[in-house]
Amino acid sequence: MAQKILIVEDEANIAQLLHLYLEKEGYETETAPDGGKAVELFRSYTPDLVLLDIMLPVMDGWSVLKKIRAESKTPVIMLTAKGELSDRVTGLENGADDYIVKPFETKEVLARIHAVLRRTVGEEEVSGEKRLSFDKLVINLDAYELLVDGKRVDTPPKELELLYYLASAPNRVFTRNQLLDEVWGFDYFGDSRTVDVHIKRLREKLEGISDQWSLKTVWGVGYKFEVAGL
């Protein structure tokens, strides 16, 4: 069965180009010309991936992304004409899986889609429980749930995935580029500030909870999840 892609783009020529190209590559597609229609189609069409423009009528891409993330982990690739670091960071912070800057080559779009879908399918096929427990901390990637001192703490998907990745290898130091590659799963062109932002937000949730573990900065290198006694 062909994988389904929802194209959310208000520029008709770009939407048509993506539709034709992706259909030719064997994908099934639907197109939404505005944010409101995008949310409707997402719920009725249940796509395997969403290509989501930022600048949209009715409801912008950020708002659509938040609605999608409130009910689903479906991969989302943001389309932006600005190409500014702030847009990329905002998209990643809010749960986007990748971004593409306009104008783009159709081959790049296809490569990004392949990479994101391959990673998503790969995660679904991995057997075994994805759950880590430490003193007053439970990181449950199966349920996408973070328990801190017995209480559920709302955590964006990428924050949880970053914490899980670090905690799955206690006391190992990872560079920002390693974390971007392993957690976000794509080559990040530009500043690695997005990792710092996610670490900062995780620390706000975890600071002072336990003296048995902590998120540590290794200056000039990167970050590690430090566990006492290991």
Side-chain angles (χ1 to χ4, degrees):
M1 184 180 293
Q3 290 176 302
K4 300 188 291 185
I5 296 178
L6 174 59
I7 302 164
V8 187
E9 172 60 67
D10 63 321
E11 294 185 45
N13 57 333
I14 294 177
Q16 181 68 2
L17 173 68
L18 288 169
H19 164 74
L20 292 173
Y21 186 72
L22 293 175
E23 292 268 336
K24 180 182 176 184
E25 292 295 324
Y27 293 104
E28 180 184 319
T29 67
E30 282 284 353
T31 303
D34 61 65
K37 186 66 174 176
V39 174
E40 290 179 21
L41 270 175
F42 177 78
R43 290 168 177 161
S44 62
Y45 184 56
T46 60
D48 296 293
L49 181 142
V50 180
L51 287 176
L52 178 59
D53 192 23
I54 294 175
M55 304 301 290
L56 293 167
V58 182
M59 184 188 300
D60 67 20
W62 304 132
S63 300
V64 175
L65 177 60
K66 287 178 182 178
K67 286 187 176 294
I68 289 174
R69 281 291 165 265
E71 56 191 71
S72 171
K73 293 182 288 187
T74 299
V76 176
I77 299 178
M78 304 299 292
L79 303 175
T80 171
K82 294 180 180 179
E84 295 177 358
L85 176 62
S86 59
D87 276 344
R88 302 200 295 269
V89 171
T90 300
L92 296 171
E93 286 175 358
N94 285 284
D97 295 86
D98 202 346
Y99 66 89
I100 299 172
V101 179
K102 297 178 184 177
F104 49 74
E105 294 286 339
T106 48
K107 287 183 179 179
E108 179 192 5
V109 176
L110 190 62
R112 300 281 190 176
I113 289 172
H114 280 167
V116 170
L117 285 175
R118 184 170 60 247
R119 187 171 76 251
T120 305
V121 171
E123 287 173 355
E124 290 175 352
E125 289 176 349
V126 173
S127 60
E129 189 179 53
K130 287 189 174 184
R131 186 177 183 276
L132 299 173
S133 297
F134 301 91
D135 180 47
K136 299 180 182 178
L137 178 70
V138 176
I139 311 162
N140 189 337
L141 208 58
D142 290 321
Y144 270 77
E145 183 177 70
L146 180 66
L147 296 177
V148 178
D149 202 11
K151 298 177 181 177
R152 188 180 186 280
V153 177
D154 287 334
T155 309
K158 278 293 176 278
E159 276 185 35
L160 193 66
E161 289 167 16
L162 175 59
L163 180 60
Y164 182 90
Y165 187 77
L166 287 166
S168 65
N171 299 336
R172 178 180 168 184
V173 181
F174 294 93
T175 67
R176 290 170 178 81
N177 286 337
Q178 282 177 314
L179 293 170
L180 284 168
D181 186 53
E182 295 297 332
V183 177
W184 279 265
F186 63 91
D187 295 327
Y188 186 83
F189 301 105
D191 201 316
S192 59
R193 175 176 166 260
T194 187
V195 174
D196 301 332
V197 171
H198 280 67
I199 291 290
K200 179 176 180 291
R201 292 187 173 184
L202 282 168
R203 279 181 173 147
E204 289 171 356
K205 296 178 174 74
L206 303 175
E207 205 72 54
I209 296 298
S210 172
D211 60 1
Q212 300 299 306
W213 49 264
S214 61
L215 278 175
K216 290 282 189 180
T217 299
V218 181
W219 298 107
V221 184
Y223 297 101
K224 67 176 177 177
F225 184 84
E226 187 172 273
V227 177
L230 286 183

